[in-house]
Amino acid sequence: MKTKLAVLAALAFAAVPLAGLAQPYAGKTVTIIVGYKPGGGYDRTARLLARYLPNHIPGKPTVIVQNMPGANSLIAANHVYSVAKPDGMTIGTFNRNLPIAQLTKVDGVKFDMTKFAWIGSAASESTILAIRSDLPYRNFDELRKSGKQIVIGATGPGANTYDFPLLLKELLGVNIKIVSGYSSSSDIMLAIERKEVDGRAGSLSSITPFIDRKLVHPVIRARASEPGIEQLPVDESLAPNARAKAIMALRSAPEIVGRPYVMTPGTPAELLQTMRTAFASAIKDPGLMAEAKKAKAELDYTPADKALEVMKEVLNQPKDVVDEFSKYIKFGE
Amino acid sequence: MIDALFEGLFLVLQWKALAFMLLGIGLGFWVGLLPGLGGATTLALMLPFIYTMQPVEAFAFLLGMHAVVATTGDITSVLFGVPGEGTSAATILDGHAMAKKGEAGRALGAALASSLVGAIVGAFALALAIPVVRPLVLSFGSPELFMLAIVGIAFIASLSAQGARGMLRGFLAGGLGLLLATVGQDPQAGVARYTLGTLYLWQGLELIPVLVGIFAIPEIIDLVVRGTSIAGTRPSGRISKGAFEGVKDTFRHFGLTIRCSLIGTFIGIMPGMGGAVAQWMAYGHATQSARNAEERKGFGAGDVRGVLGPGAANNSKEGGSLIPTIAFGVPGSTAMAILLGAFFLLGMVPGPDMLSKHLPVTFSMVWTIVLANVITVLACFMFLNRLASLTTVRGQLLIPVILMLVFIGSYTSNNHYGDIVVTLLFGGVGYLMVLGGWPRAPFVLGLVLGKIAENYLYISVARYEAAWLTRPVVLVLIALAIAVIVYPLFQSRRRAAHA
């Protein structure tokens, strides 16, 4: 009897470390650090994932979201890059334009985007330009050929509301006047409604409700596409020369990695792999998909190698392209 | 229209919606009371819970919570001089001064009763405004919003201190606020301004740490120096019996309460003005309502009208800020932006339909704000007098608790040590301003409106060039701004001539 108990006890004790080895996430807490305040798109996506991820990680860890806002998420990125422990318990999700910040050597960048332990991207973000439906232009071609000036409202440099129309103006020669300083993209929408401006650029998801309401209609998009806007002309394909094309491609490249998710450099490979698998399956979770659809922010997983490829594409540009790019585009939002 | 009004009420009174509303109220009560934990953040955190609810239930829950935050935020402001919310700082000026005079109960009673009146007036104004709300909002373009910001600053600056010298100080303080609002990355060229080489200041100065510092720290220093309780050596009998007196005050100055409620509704309807502006405009109006300089001197030293104005506007603006959100899909504040997310989650599309086809749902939201306030105010009155007696607790016991509220409150705005530094720094600024007799209200309003003013001025000039100056509403607002500045000077000269 005693021996039986002893064996049982020994087995029980042996089982604990074994279980611990097999399921390094059991009983642990994983923190997703968001580089923005609660309420925005990055935060919403992270909170949605935080509720579904536990079911897809062996050991069902608790997943919590921590907001670390400031400096367009540079603060959060610096933290995850060098302050957080590489123990697989910290995930960061930041401004998709961080590679642009690194490329244009913004002060305060203390990370290398290619050295993060990449999980991948949870969604891509398509940028479009939409104009008021009561204007006489049905499509981009008509707008461009008319030669008449249109006024585009924007938030500020570094945001797609500003940068996308800026390149259309500078590189494609569209007669656009950019009026920037609106406090949010929805403020621009109101300016469109009162005919202060003629249109705006922005992510498809934020403009869709107004397209549905027939206030505006889309005329041109950037490279990243989503169902429903495939047939729109793409800015790069209208570029007059290779240099212009490279600059437009560079601006839109981060949008493919629209919701980047990374871990601290040096995170053990098996933990990273666990997390990649978990993200890939969590994003396909029917419950999550239904919720995302309701919130009009559908997710789509881009694997780590693809995301890393985009980072390298952005960061390996020849100097002359970078110099010209920096003339137009500043890091922001 | 009337049908929709009642249908909306019945929608909220269904037991499930009512239960969710009570839950929301319970949450909002604490969120409002604790500084730092803001209404907008809490809304964002609660969003995932509404997936399975019906639209009316979800909005009863979210709005019930949101409506209460502004009300209970005033309680912290009055008792400790710590702004419970970014939107309840104006209550401190006179509310906390009353607490120090031993009238905490009366101040709380006035704050709550005026909140209730504000919520009801706001709701009714809203219901009446629904047919004209779209043209009204659309007639306010960037030039008009810029001028509205200027009128606001002129209003506060000219009213918050006495005489020509006081007015000059008011404008200087307002100018300093405007200057500090330029800190951060600018929206036209993307240049980082006055960030002192730190990443923390990229986004500009955060309002909460500044407010907490500039209002709460001087009060704490004062409490330490006096070495007594907040209410000093006043007889404690009066302190805990004043709540009803505060209610009576609300009706004594009923006209003022109604007018401030309407100001709040109007500011709420204007998208882009932000929640923190309404209460300061109302405070300015309350000061202006003082008939003579003698009466005006009481403001800032514990005049109950300085509590009634912001209290009323603070709650009426909630109804107002619903309008741009539901009628245009354009949120008037951060909280409303999050609420907009709730619309999509519930499969509803904000827009003109909300004012016609889905009018009952819109009214159910208005009713939620009214009911939530009625319930909260009634519940608060049960233990208001006990709350008020906190001001008789010895300072040594109270200060650690207040300090904790101050630091946690400011730290939660960015989760960054910079928040604490800003709080301490502006605590020093606030203390010096109090010592030197400089008004803090114009400074805060300058800070709040600085970005708005800068951006809308830029947009106005970029879009309309000089022609923006000739728009009719702009002309009216320019005249108003001049009148606001000149009238007090004229008034004091006339009085001098009489004497």
Side-chain angles (χ1 to χ4, degrees), chain A residues 37 177 193 196 291 294, chain B residues 134 142 206 344 462-463:
Chain A
K37 292 195 167 199
K177 176 173 179 174
E193 196 141 5
E196 195 167 287
E291 279 190 33
K294 265 184 162 180
Chain B
R134 279 182 64 87
S142 297
E206 195 74 33
F344 294 135
R463 173 66 179 85

Side-chain angles (χ1 to χ4, degrees), chain A residues 29-34 46-47 50-51 54 61-67 89 91:
Chain A
T29 300
V30 176
T31 306
I32 302 182
I33 292 181
V34 182
R47 287 182 195 280
R51 283 188 297 118
T62 310
V63 180
I64 60 168
V65 173
Q66 186 191 337
N67 299 86
M89 298 302 155
I91 297 174

Side-chain angles (χ1 to χ4, degrees), chain B residues 49 110-111 113 158 206-207 286 387 391 404 419 425 430 447 461 480 484:
Chain B
F49 294 104
S158 71
E206 195 74 33
L207 191 60
L387 274 177
T391 57
M404 193 188 71
D419 294 331
L425 201 71
L447 184 66
V461 175
L480 191 62
V484 161

